[in-house]
Amino acid sequence: MEKRTSLIIGASGGIATAIIKRVISQQNSDVIAISRSTTDNIKINSQKLHWLSSDNTETSILSTVKTINDMGIEIDNIIITNGVLHNNVVKPEKRLEDINADQLRHYYDINTIIPMLWLRHLLLNLSLSGSCSIAVLSARIGSIEDNQIGGWYGYRSSKAALNMLLKTLAIEWQRRHPGVSFLSFHPGTTDTALSAPFQANVAKEKLFTPDFVAEQLLSIMTKSDNATNIQFLDWAGKEVPW
Ligand SMILES: NC(=O)c1ccc[n+]([C@@H]2O[C@H](COP(=O)([O-])OP(=O)(O)OC[C@H]3O[C@@H](n4cnc5c(N)ncnc54)[C@H](OP(=O)(O)O)[C@@H]3O)[C@@H](O)[C@H]2O)c1
């Protein structure tokens, strides 16, 4: 069986950690994990996990991509998980009065620009397998059509912009490198630090474990036949309207 290598970016997050554990438990599957965190906080002592640190600036992204290139490995899967909903800089806006420029910029920087910068440098510089499958963690809230309740201006619009960038990239890549497939993925509400303050009104059966979401995502990526080079899917593999 040929060895497969997955690249996971934003590797210390709740969903990313579960994905990494699942992938390295598979036979002949290695992971290159990239995080702001300098140490592997997953505490898995495995030769199959290569932990690289990056602060997501363009200089750091370029040097990380060079490090991966120097490893001489072909990449089969890329999963980008970076995202922020609340931290000491931002919290979801409930109404127009809550909008401010710094907060919007912060959402766009992390949820939209960082994933796109990684894709730019990875796709242009790395050796990817001909049928490389690329998933980026988006959110149903980024669906313009699905927006019935409003609110969360910054998070919502940063994911909508991410989706548009992904779709635009997929159209270009279909011409330049057919075979590479893109997935904009909605994990559902998942029990991680990101959703923790907002879980009170979520029914128990609708709050997923990171492990369940990781299993669903990896299964969807495995089934991807590359016939459609981009899809916006939820955890159940169902299409989400753009
Ligand atoms: N949990 C949910 O209910 C839910 C629902 C819909 C969509 N999502 C999406 O799923 C993805 C993963 O979320 P999660 O639930 O696993 O959340 P999480 O545990 O908070 O992980 C978030 C990830 O984003 C990265 N990140 C956070 N702040 C950052 C910053 N300032 N600069 C750069 N990177 C930063 C971190 O990467 P480092 O390793 O570099 O620290 C971290 O791995 C996100 O894109 C989120 O929007 C989650």
Side-chain angles (χ1 to χ4, degrees):
M1 199 182 183
E2 231 175 84
K3 192 165 91 173
R4 294 180 63 78
T5 304
S6 298
L7 188 57
I8 320 275
I9 302 173
S12 72
I15 295 175
T17 301
I19 294 170
I20 293 169
K21 286 183 178 164
R22 275 206 166 254
V23 174
I24 61 172
S25 73
Q26 291 163 1
Q27 258 195 334
N28 296 309
S29 287
D30 280 9
V31 169
I32 300 172
I34 300 171
S35 173
R36 290 171 302 164
S37 172
T38 47
T39 50
D40 155 18
N41 60 355
I42 299 175
K43 307 282 175 250
I44 295 177
N45 188 8
S46 169
Q47 302 271 337
K48 297 166 88 184
L49 177 61
H50 311 270
W51 192 270
L52 303 175
S53 155
S54 167
D55 63 9
N56 301 298
T57 56
E58 199 149 9
T59 315
S60 161
I61 290 174
L62 272 167
S63 101
T64 308
V65 169
K66 184 175 178 319
T67 304
I68 299 168
N69 252 335
D70 292 347
M71 292 171 164
I73 298 168
E74 192 173 82
I75 306 296
D76 298 286
N77 290 315
I78 299 173
I79 303 176
I80 302 180
T81 71
N82 302 73
V84 68
L85 174 57
H86 64 91
N87 59 19
N88 54 1
V89 183
V90 292
K91 67 174 192 208
E93 314 87 343
K94 290 195 177 132
R95 50 193 206 142
L96 192 59
E97 286 85 339
D98 299 335
I99 296 275
N100 81 70
D102 288 343
Q103 167 145 330
L104 283 177
R105 278 193 202 100
H106 193 74
Y107 276 126
Y108 298 153
D109 265 346
I110 294 160
N111 296 348
T112 315
I113 297 171
I114 286 177
M116 199 58 198
L117 277 184
W118 276 107
L119 285 172
R120 180 190 192 280
H121 294 296
L122 293 171
L123 291 181
L124 292 176
N125 297 305
L126 273 195
S127 173
L128 305 181
S129 76
S131 57
C132 182
S133 181
I134 299 174
V136 182
L137 274 279
S138 180
R140 187 187 301 279
I141 200 171
S143 162
I144 291 175
E145 201 178 323
D146 191 66
N147 185 2
Q148 310 293 332
I149 57 167
W152 296 22
Y153 286 85
Y155 185 72
R156 186 187 285 286
S157 58
S158 65
K159 292 292 190 182
L162 172 69
N163 284 346
M164 182 58 92
L165 288 168
L166 290 175
K167 193 152 188 188
T168 305
L169 170 62
I171 290 168
E172 178 181 344
W173 229 243
Q174 195 159 34
R175 289 193 299 268
R176 291 177 66 171
H177 291 277
V180 175
S181 66
F182 296 86
L183 170 65
S184 175
F185 183 69
H186 168 61
T189 307
T190 309
D191 187 10
T192 65
L194 182 138
S195 71
F198 310 97
Q199 293 176 3
N201 295 326
V202 181
K204 208 171 160 225
E205 68 280 7
K206 291 208 168 145
L207 180 64
F208 300 140
T209 64
D211 191 44
F212 169 74
V213 169
E215 182 182 14
Q216 295 301 104
L217 172 60
L218 293 171
S219 145
I220 289 168
M221 288 178 81
T222 308
K223 283 185 208 139
S224 150
D225 59 4
N226 298 337
T228 319
N229 86 324
I230 182 153
Q231 291 181 293
F232 183 13
L233 300 180
D234 70 7
W235 54 274
K238 276 212 207 123
E239 281 191 32
V240 181
W242 292 96

